[in-house]
Amino acid sequence: MNLPVDWNPAVQAFVYLAAVLVSAKPLGIYMALIYEGKPALLNQWLKPLENFFYRFSGVDPAKGMDWKAYAVAMMIFNALGLIMVYGLQRLQNFLPLNTMSLSRVPPDLAFNTAISFASNTNWQNYGGERTLSYLTQMLGLTVQNFLSAATGMTVLIAVIRGFVARQAKEIGNFWVDLTRSVLYILLPLATVLAFFLVSQGVVQSFKPYGKASLVQPLKGETGQDVSEQILPLGPAASQIAIKQLGTNGGGFFSVNSAHPFENPTPLSCLLQLLAILLIPAALCYTFGSMVGDLRQGRALLLAMTLIFVPCLLVCYLAEQGGNPVFEQLGIDQSANALQPGGNMEGKEARFGITDSALWAVATTAASNGSVNSMHDSYMPLGGLIAMWLIELGEVIYGGVGSGLYGMIAFAVLAVFIAGLMVGRTPEYLGKKIEAYEIKMVSLVILIPPILVLLGTAVSVILPAGKSGILNPGPHGFSEVLYAFSSAGNNNGSAFAGLSGNRFYYNVALGLAMFFGRYWLAIPLLALAGSLAGKKTVPQSPGTLSTHTPIFIFFLAAVVLIVGALTFFPALALGPIAEHLMFKGSTA
Amino acid sequence: MILKQLKTGFLVFVLLTLLTGAIYPLTMTALAQKFFPSQANGSLIRQDGKVVGSSLIGQNFGDPKYLWGRPSATAPIPYNGSSSGGSNLGPLNPTLRNIIEARIKKLKNADPENITPVPVDLVTASASGLDPHVSPAAAFYQVPRVARLRKMPEGEVQKIIRRYTTARFLGLGGEPVVNVLRVNLELDRYGNKTKS
């Protein structure tokens, strides 16, 4: 009953996208009820727990905050997370649950990892199984996987309230939004997913690493006999579930979701893929539901999907097409019933090309830095798609919360541009878009490219930056460009040939991640505050409707044009040059 | 205002850390150990009372009488379980070409009569460096060599390979794969059986 090979990738992609889009609506509406404090089963059953949280920490849930108080609360909370992750790494050799007696993490790496996890980037300069103790993974990384995701959701909800509120100062209570995100959304979903992942073979154990006697012993580096293999363990499934649901992406193990203990089967791969896009897609409906017009949310979701599908197609074709160099060596790269074929360097046999390309495109679209194949070994155009999706600003689904607030910024920009064309004061969802709003939106759209391009330019000039490059030629430039794209847009995946774990990159990428996160979140909260204070303008026949196919295409075009114009010169020096070299070498 | 927020923030942080960083992983561990003890502890394969590997983690096989798995780029030794990693070599990198050429040569030297083109996954490094599988094409490619060196009928080797082949999930997800370690353990068992 195997389907013909040719159809399999298309059917897999269709089933996957359909599953995401179908589950987005109910989950999105559920989340809207949660944030609005309306009854939705779980928040009735767990109400006493929620109330205990507020009593214990002195939160008055009925009291709203203006945007500045909201921003201050968010920054305080994120600073605590940063300090915690940093401290745990620096002290892990004195703390319990360090079963493998790992030493303390050096300060620059600890700094990088702390920002990486607080900012929902999850860039990995650490190598999980050889760097971090079980305690650091649990109390540091797992916690930040939840809290950084919840932070993104709170900022988004505040922005949505800005549109909903009328002549108000307040945009909600940060502590309430945060608590509800964790209690009613992230934790229940993670529990279910973690359980399924364990059933597939993802490890979940506090035992020290296991040992196996090798069937065929081998000679080590210095000629010594090696007859045992280390089998790493740890509380992995619990962390991996939230790593995907929260669009975090930081691996429990060094190679992330390519590791057989982190992603053992095609089913675990599908479940994780679903988890990656689930909440970002569903939040579109949360947005629609809260502004009282589901079509508004659906329009943003469709604009995202419109960009996603062609990207997937190009990436898949580039990888399945294989490497012309392999062709010259007489290797069989054809796809047939017995082998996936294509460019299999840096890919796992169980995932082949289809699941690898799906994963690469979904994770780079969604600011989820996890990988199940090595992007550095992708064909130039395959790698280009991954890099460019990140550079679009992580708004194609994007991170939980952050993806949609980025897309809302683009929608405001699109409305503004349309307004300029017809000469009317632009309005979005009944709120007049004026100079202040456009200033904030410009910050949100311009800061990441500045971080990316400036960081890349400086790094390819400085010896400290150049010496980390692995691959020669344009591909080496791509490694650096990818690193800053990933850090500046809080994605977290890498062209991992770049030696990121050195002082220069730990600091430079750490700073890029920090500003890429908070310099966007704060202007957005300011935008929310300004919108909340405005009156709602009644709809008139001249109002631009923002749910129609025309607007959806227009919005997608604005995202694509901004992304293409900003990054084309840099991409031309990297993947595009490399692609042309291939054409030259095989002509 | 900031002082009060600091205190609130600290207390919320403590509670959420306990909930998501202690209660949640501990509960999941308890559930995992109860319902899926084998999977939760690394899907170990035991033989004669000792652990000979995990069905999810590949091992390095270079002896021609064994089925070979994916090349592994882990350092310092291949299939190093304590340090997963891929080659990260770019597609045009001359080093990649040289390494792959050497791998093809090694395969040809071990079985000069085999003139069919080499399946791509048999000469390219996996992403994790621990890939437990090869494609069925890569497994069948090696059948003549393994059968000859073990003095087994080719059909028997193929039968063993088929036994440890996993089809696509629901005929749709992932790729069909052969578990290399399991095949090799079975090949050794077959040899022992015929000897005794």
Side-chain angles (χ1 to χ4, degrees):
Chain A
M1 103 134 226
N2 260 338
L3 290 154
V5 172
D6 298 341
W7 282 102
N8 180 277
V11 177
Q12 276 206 63
F14 177 80
V15 169
Y16 169 54
L17 262 186
V20 169
L21 296 178
V22 166
S23 25
K25 191 169 176 181
L27 179 64
I29 293 173
Y30 166 78
M31 289 193 283
L33 294 176
I34 292 294
Y35 287 118
E36 287 167 336
K38 292 178 185 158
L41 287 183
L42 215 51
N43 62 0
Q44 294 165 289
W45 299 337
L46 293 179
K47 192 77 195 166
L49 183 63
E50 188 190 342
N51 287 339
F52 165 76
F53 266 63
Y54 300 150
R55 266 203 315 279
F56 180 84
S57 40
V59 174
D60 177 2
K63 203 167 153 238
M65 297 173 170
D66 64 15
W67 80 265
K68 283 180 188 146
Y70 203 97
V72 167
M74 178 199 77
M75 288 310 287
I76 288 175
F77 188 72
N78 277 259
L80 288 169
L82 243 156
I83 295 166
M84 177 80 167
V85 179
Y86 184 83
L88 277 169
Q89 293 178 88
R90 296 291 291 144
L91 300 173
Q92 68 177 7
N93 48 334
F94 303 118
L95 297 171
L97 282 177
N98 183 10
T99 39
M100 300 317 292
S101 311
L102 296 165
S103 52
R104 57 157 61 189
V105 181
D108 55 322
L109 177 57
F111 165 83
N112 184 283
T113 309
I115 293 185
S116 174
F117 277 77
S119 64
N120 197 259
T121 309
N122 315 82
W123 174 268
Q124 258 179 284
N125 276 350
Y126 64 91
E129 65 270 40
R130 52 181 185 269
T131 319
L132 304 176
S133 76
Y134 291 171
L135 189 79
T136 309
Q137 298 257 27
M138 266 167 71
L139 274 188
L141 304 196
T142 305
V143 171
Q144 281 309 308
N145 274 299
F146 278 98
L147 302 187
S148 66
T151 298
M153 294 160 90
T154 60
V155 173
L156 169 69
I157 297 304
V159 171
I160 297 176
R161 289 209 189 97
F163 286 104
V164 178
R166 286 168 199 188
Q167 291 175 293
K169 279 187 80 79
E170 286 155 5
I171 53 169
N173 184 314
F174 175 77
W175 307 115
V176 172
D177 292 339
L178 179 80
T179 308
R180 288 180 179 168
S181 305
V182 175
L183 274 191
Y184 302 133
I185 299 166
L186 297 173
L187 198 54
L189 284 171
T191 305
V192 175
L193 181 61
F195 190 70
F196 279 108
L197 290 179
V198 177
S199 79
Q200 293 301 301
V202 178
V203 292
Q204 178 76 22
S205 160
F206 284 101
K207 291 181 191 148
Y209 295 175
K211 273 193 184 140
S213 338
L214 288 172
V215 174
Q216 186 202 328
L218 68 158
K219 289 272 181 233
E221 214 177 1
T222 52
Q224 83 282 21
D225 287 310
V226 179
S227 57
E228 278 182 334
Q229 184 183 42
I230 306 263
L231 298 172
L233 290 171
S238 52
Q239 183 170 324
I240 291 153
I242 187 61
K243 144 191 151 186
Q244 306 301 22
L245 285 163
T247 58
N248 293 281
F252 193 91
F253 300 111
S254 182
V255 279
N256 209 301
S257 283
H259 199 293
F261 278 167
E262 196 152 335
N263 193 6
T265 65
L267 178 58
S268 73
C269 183
L270 177 68
L271 289 171
Q272 291 188 39
L273 272 169
L274 260 178
I276 288 166
L277 291 192
L278 181 65
I279 298 181
L283 281 169
C284 293
Y285 282 102
T286 309
F287 166 68
S289 172
M290 287 177 76
V291 300
D293 184 358
L294 278 181
R295 296 174 305 177
Q296 301 294 344
R298 199 178 51 202
L300 299 189
L301 185 61
L302 287 176
M304 295 169 175
T305 310
L306 201 61
I307 296 176
F308 181 85
V309 172
C311 285
L312 176 61
L313 187 68
V314 172
C315 183
Y316 167 76
L317 289 176
E319 295 311 303
Q320 189 66 68
N323 188 336
V325 174
F326 298 175
E327 210 69 65
Q328 292 166 354
L329 296 174
I331 295 169
D332 181 7
Q333 295 186 85
S334 62
N336 57 50
L338 293 180
Q339 68 162 13
N343 174 26
M344 283 297 286
E345 179 68 26
K347 295 190 180 66
E348 297 282 291
R350 62 192 177 284
F351 303 139
I353 303 295
T354 310
D355 284 1
S356 299
L358 254 179
W359 189 287
V361 174
T363 52
T364 50
S367 134
N368 180 309
S370 67
V371 293
N372 76 349
S373 58
M374 294 295 118
H375 293 183
D376 210 349
S377 296
Y378 270 43
M379 296 304 293
L381 294 185
L384 170 91
I385 290 292
M387 206 183 306
W388 193 51
L389 273 168
I390 296 173
E391 288 161 351
L392 290 181
E394 293 298 16
V395 296
I396 311 308
Y397 309 112
V400 288
S402 60
L404 185 55
Y405 65 58
M407 196 52 154
I408 290 175
F410 270 107
V412 170
L413 181 71
V415 166
F416 174 70
I417 294 174
L420 288 182
M421 288 175 181
V422 294
R424 272 181 59 96
T425 311
E427 35 188 89
Y428 186 48
L429 305 172
K431 295 286 174 132
K432 277 214 167 82
I433 304 301
E434 291 165 300
Y436 184 81
E437 285 76 37
I438 291 299
K439 277 183 202 158
M440 294 303 121
V441 163
S442 307
L443 286 177
V444 171
I445 292 172
L446 291 177
I447 285 173
I450 291 171
L451 294 171
V452 173
L453 296 173
L454 221 59
T456 308
V458 170
S459 300
V460 293
I461 293 168
L462 291 181
K466 276 191 290 193
S467 61
I469 293 173
L470 171 74
N471 283 289
H475 198 86
F477 175 79
S478 298
E479 287 179 350
V480 180
L481 179 61
Y482 196 106
F484 281 93
S485 301
S486 179
N489 290 290
N490 299 139
N491 177 280
S493 66
F495 270 17
L498 185 78
S499 307
N501 184 16
R502 45 180 67 203
F503 184 81
Y504 172 74
Y505 280 115
N506 275 330
V507 174
L509 294 171
L511 293 174
M513 291 189 275
F514 184 84
F515 294 124
R517 176 74 166 181
Y518 301 107
W519 278 11
L520 267 56
I522 294 173
L524 273 155
L525 288 174
L527 174 77
S530 158
L531 289 172
K534 295 185 184 222
K535 288 192 292 234
T536 302
V537 203
Q539 283 223 341
S540 71
T543 308
L544 173 76
S545 32
T546 48
H547 64 266
T548 52
I550 287 190
F551 184 77
I552 294 170
F553 277 100
F554 184 63
L555 174 59
V558 168
V559 173
L560 288 175
I561 289 169
V562 170
L565 291 179
T566 317
F567 288 101
F568 181 76
L571 291 170
L573 294 174
I576 296 175
E578 194 187 11
H579 179 70
L580 296 176
M581 283 169 72
F582 260 111
K583 290 273 166 227
S585 75
T586 52
Chain B
M1 179 185 92
I2 294 202
L3 264 183
K4 181 167 182 292
Q5 293 267 45
L6 252 177
K7 185 179 163 230
T8 308
F10 182 76
L11 293 174
V12 173
F13 186 76
V14 168
L15 279 183
L16 287 177
T17 298
L18 283 178
L19 182 67
T20 60
I23 297 172
Y24 161 70
L26 292 174
T27 312
M28 291 322 297
T29 308
L31 287 172
Q33 295 291 339
K34 174 144 180 55
F35 290 98
F36 305 108
S38 163
Q39 290 95 319
N41 295 309
S43 308
L44 303 178
I45 304 175
R46 285 194 170 77
Q47 195 165 287
D48 310 322
K50 70 175 182 181
V51 177
V52 292
S54 158
S55 65
L56 294 177
I57 304 284
Q59 293 183 9
N60 185 58
F61 291 99
D63 187 329
K65 72 176 196 290
Y66 284 116
L67 192 69
W68 295 355
R70 304 284 309 277
S72 160
T74 59
I77 49 165
Y79 287 91
N80 180 359
S82 54
S83 185
S84 54
S87 76
N88 286 310
L89 294 171
L92 252 187
N93 193 328
T95 313
L96 177 68
R97 189 194 167 107
N98 295 339
I99 292 177
I100 290 185
E101 251 175 330
R103 286 176 189 145
I104 296 175
K105 212 166 176 189
K106 197 171 164 217
L107 277 166
K108 299 277 181 203
N109 285 345
D111 188 13
E113 286 153 40
N114 192 341
I115 49 157
T116 50
V118 182
V120 64
D121 64 306
L122 195 53
V123 288
T124 47
S126 63
S128 63
L130 304 172
D131 196 339
H133 302 119
V134 288
S135 69
F140 289 131
Y141 175 86
Q142 305 179 62
V143 166
R145 182 192 79 218
V146 173
R148 195 177 64 242
L149 290 171
R150 287 183 178 263
K151 303 191 174 58
M152 277 170 76
E154 289 194 8
E156 289 298 312
V157 180
Q158 282 172 353
K159 217 192 276 174
I160 293 174
I161 289 175
R162 281 208 190 86
R163 191 174 319 153
Y164 294 107
T165 301
T166 317
R168 284 189 166 134
F169 173 68
L170 299 180
L172 185 67
E175 295 292 337
V177 282
V178 179
N179 190 307
V180 177
L181 175 60
R182 286 215 183 264
V183 167
N184 284 330
L185 287 170
E186 186 73 35
L187 285 172
D188 277 353
R189 272 200 294 273
Y190 183 92
N192 292 339
K193 222 170 20 197
T194 45
K195 252 181 251 157
S196 54

